[in-house]
Amino acid sequence: MAEYFKEDGTVVPVTILSVPPVAVTKVFTKEHDGYDSVQVSFDQGKKKKLKEFRLKTSDQISLKKGDTIDISVFAYGDKITVSSLSKGKGFQGVVKRHGFHGGPRTHGQKHSEREPGSIGGGLRTRVPRGMRMAGRMGGDRVTQKNLEIVLVDKENNMLLVKGAIAGRRGTTVEIISR
């Protein structure tokens, strides 16, 4: 994240995204494949990744195999939808993962201040589905809608997006223009 100063002097928190060009590897049409979409490839380190994007109408298919899509499709002020994987936080207890308050520090609670408490015994002989417990946290796919593009740097293939985007440095981010 960084700060960007607009022409009127206001400061905007931005996330800097590196947007390399992607190559169209396949075009799916409704007549041939049953749906309209475009498959693109991009290099991520030593691997080449493929990603398919569905299209709403067949009129949007003006791309052919071998075409490249670069940062010039975006413009200042565009609203975009961004999807990425959030940071993984490992195995966490119920206080951090679900916001439990734990037990009191007095009244005989010696070592159980951050424990979850009862999980619903009674007449049941099983744990109810959806019971909030300790476990792995993070690493989820997060989609953020209506983010605004603040700056498009075509020379350096950089995109400045207003606000924070989930994920660590180097995470692959899917950007969809709305």
Side-chain angles (χ1 to χ4, degrees), residues 93-95 100-104 109 111-121 127-128 131-134:
V94 293
V95 174
F100 285 15
H101 296 286
Q109 301 255 3
H111 301 292
S112 57
E113 293 173 352
R114 295 177 65 92
E115 289 186 358
S118 173
I119 60 170
V127 177
M131 178 63 61
R132 296 180 297 169
M133 294 183 169

mmCIF file of all heavy atoms in Angstrom, residues 93-95 100-104 109 111-121 127-128 131-134:
data_model
loop_
_atom_site.group_PDB
_atom_site.id
_atom_site.type_symbol
_atom_site.label_atom_id
_atom_site.label_comp_id
_atom_site.label_asym_id
_atom_site.label_seq_id
_atom_site.Cartn_x
_atom_site.Cartn_y
_atom_site.Cartn_z
ATOM 1 N N GLY A 93 -6.833 -20.077 17.704
ATOM 2 C CA GLY A 93 -7.844 -20.435 18.683
ATOM 3 C C GLY A 93 -9.138 -19.673 18.455
ATOM 4 O O GLY A 93 -9.251 -18.826 17.565
ATOM 5 N N VAL A 94 -10.140 -19.944 19.305
ATOM 6 C CA VAL A 94 -11.462 -19.347 19.109
ATOM 7 C C VAL A 94 -11.492 -17.864 19.437
ATOM 8 O O VAL A 94 -12.324 -17.133 18.905
ATOM 9 C CB VAL A 94 -12.540 -20.093 19.928
ATOM 10 C CG1 VAL A 94 -12.747 -21.487 19.408
ATOM 11 C CG2 VAL A 94 -12.191 -20.104 21.411
ATOM 12 N N VAL A 95 -10.599 -17.390 20.289
ATOM 13 C CA VAL A 95 -10.594 -15.964 20.633
ATOM 14 C C VAL A 95 -10.194 -15.136 19.423
ATOM 15 O O VAL A 95 -10.840 -14.153 19.070
ATOM 16 C CB VAL A 95 -9.667 -15.691 21.835
ATOM 17 C CG1 VAL A 95 -9.537 -14.208 22.092
ATOM 18 C CG2 VAL A 95 -10.189 -16.405 23.076
ATOM 19 N N PHE A 100 -14.335 -14.918 20.452
ATOM 20 C CA PHE A 100 -14.848 -15.333 21.748
ATOM 21 C C PHE A 100 -14.149 -14.523 22.839
ATOM 22 O O PHE A 100 -13.014 -14.096 22.678
ATOM 23 C CB PHE A 100 -14.586 -16.818 21.989
ATOM 24 C CG PHE A 100 -15.483 -17.752 21.222
ATOM 25 C CD1 PHE A 100 -16.249 -17.318 20.159
ATOM 26 C CD2 PHE A 100 -15.551 -19.080 21.567
ATOM 27 C CE1 PHE A 100 -17.066 -18.180 19.454
ATOM 28 C CE2 PHE A 100 -16.356 -19.959 20.867
ATOM 29 C CZ PHE A 100 -17.117 -19.507 19.811
ATOM 30 N N HIS A 101 -14.814 -14.361 23.986
ATOM 31 C CA HIS A 101 -14.249 -13.568 25.073
ATOM 32 C C HIS A 101 -13.504 -14.414 26.090
ATOM 33 O O HIS A 101 -12.749 -13.896 26.895
ATOM 34 C CB HIS A 101 -15.344 -12.770 25.775
ATOM 35 C CG HIS A 101 -15.979 -11.757 24.880
ATOM 36 N ND1 HIS A 101 -15.346 -10.604 24.513
ATOM 37 C CD2 HIS A 101 -17.164 -11.739 24.244
ATOM 38 C CE1 HIS A 101 -16.129 -9.905 23.710
ATOM 39 N NE2 HIS A 101 -17.231 -10.586 23.518
ATOM 40 N N GLY A 102 -13.735 -15.722 26.091
ATOM 41 C CA GLY A 102 -13.068 -16.586 27.059
ATOM 42 C C GLY A 102 -13.746 -16.509 28.416
ATOM 43 O O GLY A 102 -14.737 -15.803 28.608
ATOM 44 N N GLY A 103 -13.187 -17.220 29.366
ATOM 45 C CA GLY A 103 -13.768 -17.248 30.698
ATOM 46 C C GLY A 103 -13.189 -16.164 31.590
ATOM 47 O O GLY A 103 -12.232 -15.478 31.224
ATOM 48 N N PRO A 104 -13.747 -15.989 32.768
ATOM 49 C CA PRO A 104 -13.227 -14.980 33.694
ATOM 50 C C PRO A 104 -11.857 -15.402 34.235
ATOM 51 O O PRO A 104 -11.502 -16.579 34.245
ATOM 52 C CB PRO A 104 -14.269 -14.945 34.809
ATOM 53 C CG PRO A 104 -14.914 -16.281 34.760
ATOM 54 C CD PRO A 104 -14.895 -16.707 33.329
ATOM 55 N N GLN A 109 -10.793 -20.335 37.573
ATOM 56 C CA GLN A 109 -10.303 -20.514 36.201
ATOM 57 C C GLN A 109 -8.792 -20.337 36.223
ATOM 58 O O GLN A 109 -8.296 -19.228 36.140
ATOM 59 C CB GLN A 109 -10.940 -19.472 35.273
ATOM 60 C CG GLN A 109 -12.426 -19.532 35.244
ATOM 61 C CD GLN A 109 -12.928 -20.153 33.962
ATOM 62 O OE1 GLN A 109 -12.165 -20.588 33.131
ATOM 63 N NE2 GLN A 109 -14.230 -20.198 33.820
ATOM 64 N N HIS A 111 -6.312 -22.230 34.176
ATOM 65 C CA HIS A 111 -5.636 -22.340 32.884
ATOM 66 C C HIS A 111 -6.615 -22.290 31.718
ATOM 67 O O HIS A 111 -6.276 -22.707 30.617
ATOM 68 C CB HIS A 111 -4.851 -23.654 32.797
ATOM 69 C CG HIS A 111 -3.817 -23.796 33.858
ATOM 70 N ND1 HIS A 111 -2.694 -23.000 33.902
ATOM 71 C CD2 HIS A 111 -3.737 -24.623 34.926
ATOM 72 C CE1 HIS A 111 -1.964 -23.337 34.951
ATOM 73 N NE2 HIS A 111 -2.573 -24.323 35.588
ATOM 74 N N SER A 112 -7.818 -21.841 31.912
ATOM 75 C CA SER A 112 -8.826 -21.931 30.846
ATOM 76 C C SER A 112 -9.406 -20.567 30.495
ATOM 77 O O SER A 112 -10.596 -20.449 30.256
ATOM 78 C CB SER A 112 -9.940 -22.882 31.261
ATOM 79 O OG SER A 112 -10.514 -22.458 32.476
ATOM 80 N N GLU A 113 -8.559 -19.552 30.447
ATOM 81 C CA GLU A 113 -9.069 -18.209 30.168
ATOM 82 C C GLU A 113 -9.466 -18.024 28.708
ATOM 83 O O GLU A 113 -10.363 -17.268 28.402
ATOM 84 C CB GLU A 113 -8.018 -17.165 30.537
ATOM 85 C CG GLU A 113 -7.760 -17.087 32.023
ATOM 86 C CD GLU A 113 -6.611 -16.175 32.356
ATOM 87 O OE1 GLU A 113 -5.924 -15.718 31.437
ATOM 88 O OE2 GLU A 113 -6.395 -15.928 33.552
ATOM 89 N N ARG A 114 -8.766 -18.677 27.781
ATOM 90 C CA ARG A 114 -9.042 -18.499 26.356
ATOM 91 C C ARG A 114 -9.712 -19.712 25.716
ATOM 92 O O ARG A 114 -9.708 -19.864 24.507
ATOM 93 C CB ARG A 114 -7.743 -18.185 25.610
ATOM 94 C CG ARG A 114 -7.125 -16.859 26.025
ATOM 95 C CD ARG A 114 -5.820 -16.620 25.341
ATOM 96 N NE ARG A 114 -5.920 -16.475 23.902
ATOM 97 C CZ ARG A 114 -6.065 -15.311 23.259
ATOM 98 N NH1 ARG A 114 -6.134 -14.205 23.960
ATOM 99 N NH2 ARG A 114 -6.134 -15.265 21.947
ATOM 100 N N GLU A 115 -10.310 -20.579 26.503
ATOM 101 C CA GLU A 115 -10.946 -21.773 25.967
ATOM 102 C C GLU A 115 -12.361 -21.460 25.492
ATOM 103 O O GLU A 115 -12.977 -20.490 25.932
ATOM 104 C CB GLU A 115 -10.954 -22.878 27.023
ATOM 105 C CG GLU A 115 -9.559 -23.435 27.256
ATOM 106 C CD GLU A 115 -9.547 -24.613 28.187
ATOM 107 O OE1 GLU A 115 -10.613 -24.993 28.692
ATOM 108 O OE2 GLU A 115 -8.463 -25.168 28.406
ATOM 109 N N PRO A 116 -12.916 -22.303 24.597
ATOM 110 C CA PRO A 116 -14.218 -21.996 24.008
ATOM 111 C C PRO A 116 -15.403 -22.225 24.937
ATOM 112 O O PRO A 116 -16.464 -21.634 24.737
ATOM 113 C CB PRO A 116 -14.294 -22.943 22.810
ATOM 114 C CG PRO A 116 -13.401 -24.072 23.148
ATOM 115 C CD PRO A 116 -12.303 -23.472 23.976
ATOM 116 N N GLY A 117 -15.270 -23.080 25.925
ATOM 117 C CA GLY A 117 -16.409 -23.384 26.782
ATOM 118 C C GLY A 117 -17.145 -24.608 26.260
ATOM 119 O O GLY A 117 -16.614 -25.410 25.495
ATOM 120 N N SER A 118 -18.408 -24.742 26.619
ATOM 121 C CA SER A 118 -19.196 -25.899 26.235
ATOM 122 C C SER A 118 -19.488 -25.888 24.743
ATOM 123 O O SER A 118 -19.650 -24.835 24.127
ATOM 124 C CB SER A 118 -20.517 -25.892 27.005
ATOM 125 O OG SER A 118 -21.355 -26.920 26.530
ATOM 126 N N ILE A 119 -19.557 -27.077 24.149
ATOM 127 C CA ILE A 119 -19.893 -27.158 22.733
ATOM 128 C C ILE A 119 -21.288 -27.740 22.533
ATOM 129 O O ILE A 119 -21.634 -28.188 21.450
ATOM 130 C CB ILE A 119 -18.850 -27.971 21.937
ATOM 131 C CG1 ILE A 119 -18.740 -29.388 22.458
ATOM 132 C CG2 ILE A 119 -17.518 -27.266 21.964
ATOM 133 C CD1 ILE A 119 -17.918 -30.300 21.560
ATOM 134 N N GLY A 120 -22.112 -27.729 23.543
ATOM 135 C CA GLY A 120 -23.512 -28.128 23.396
ATOM 136 C C GLY A 120 -23.739 -29.594 23.669
ATOM 137 O O GLY A 120 -24.104 -30.335 22.765
ATOM 138 N N GLY A 121 -23.549 -30.005 24.900
ATOM 139 C CA GLY A 121 -23.780 -31.407 25.270
ATOM 140 C C GLY A 121 -25.264 -31.691 25.384
ATOM 141 O O GLY A 121 -25.985 -31.693 24.411
ATOM 142 N N VAL A 127 -21.431 -33.350 17.968
ATOM 143 C CA VAL A 127 -21.161 -31.917 17.889
ATOM 144 C C VAL A 127 -22.044 -31.348 16.779
ATOM 145 O O VAL A 127 -22.051 -31.873 15.671
ATOM 146 C CB VAL A 127 -19.674 -31.651 17.575
ATOM 147 C CG1 VAL A 127 -19.403 -30.168 17.417
ATOM 148 C CG2 VAL A 127 -18.804 -32.232 18.670
ATOM 149 N N PRO A 128 -22.814 -30.281 17.049
ATOM 150 C CA PRO A 128 -23.686 -29.722 16.003
ATOM 151 C C PRO A 128 -22.895 -29.191 14.812
ATOM 152 O O PRO A 128 -21.781 -28.688 14.967
ATOM 153 C CB PRO A 128 -24.400 -28.564 16.713
ATOM 154 C CG PRO A 128 -24.197 -28.788 18.153
ATOM 155 C CD PRO A 128 -22.959 -29.597 18.320
ATOM 156 N N MET A 131 -20.493 -25.675 14.353
ATOM 157 C CA MET A 131 -19.994 -25.216 15.652
ATOM 158 C C MET A 131 -18.658 -24.500 15.454
ATOM 159 O O MET A 131 -17.761 -25.014 14.797
ATOM 160 C CB MET A 131 -19.806 -26.409 16.591
ATOM 161 C CG MET A 131 -19.256 -26.059 17.953
ATOM 162 S SD MET A 131 -20.291 -24.983 18.948
ATOM 163 C CE MET A 131 -21.768 -25.925 19.131
ATOM 164 N N ARG A 132 -18.558 -23.290 15.989
ATOM 165 C CA ARG A 132 -17.336 -22.503 15.825
ATOM 166 C C ARG A 132 -16.266 -23.014 16.787
ATOM 167 O O ARG A 132 -16.469 -23.017 17.998
ATOM 168 C CB ARG A 132 -17.630 -21.031 16.071
ATOM 169 C CG ARG A 132 -18.586 -20.457 15.042
ATOM 170 C CD ARG A 132 -18.879 -19.027 15.286
ATOM 171 N NE ARG A 132 -19.545 -18.855 16.569
ATOM 172 C CZ ARG A 132 -19.751 -17.690 17.167
ATOM 173 N NH1 ARG A 132 -19.331 -16.586 16.592
ATOM 174 N NH2 ARG A 132 -20.362 -17.608 18.313
ATOM 175 N N MET A 133 -15.156 -23.436 16.203
ATOM 176 C CA MET A 133 -14.064 -23.986 16.994
ATOM 177 C C MET A 133 -12.740 -23.440 16.470
ATOM 178 O O MET A 133 -12.703 -22.708 15.495
ATOM 179 C CB MET A 133 -14.055 -25.510 16.898
ATOM 180 C CG MET A 133 -15.246 -26.186 17.508
ATOM 181 S SD MET A 133 -15.043 -27.957 17.398
ATOM 182 C CE MET A 133 -16.363 -28.490 18.450
ATOM 183 N N ALA A 134 -11.653 -23.827 17.128
ATOM 184 C CA ALA A 134 -10.324 -23.443 16.669
ATOM 185 C C ALA A 134 -10.036 -24.137 15.349
ATOM 186 O O ALA A 134 -10.583 -25.193 15.057
ATOM 187 C CB ALA A 134 -9.285 -23.832 17.712
#
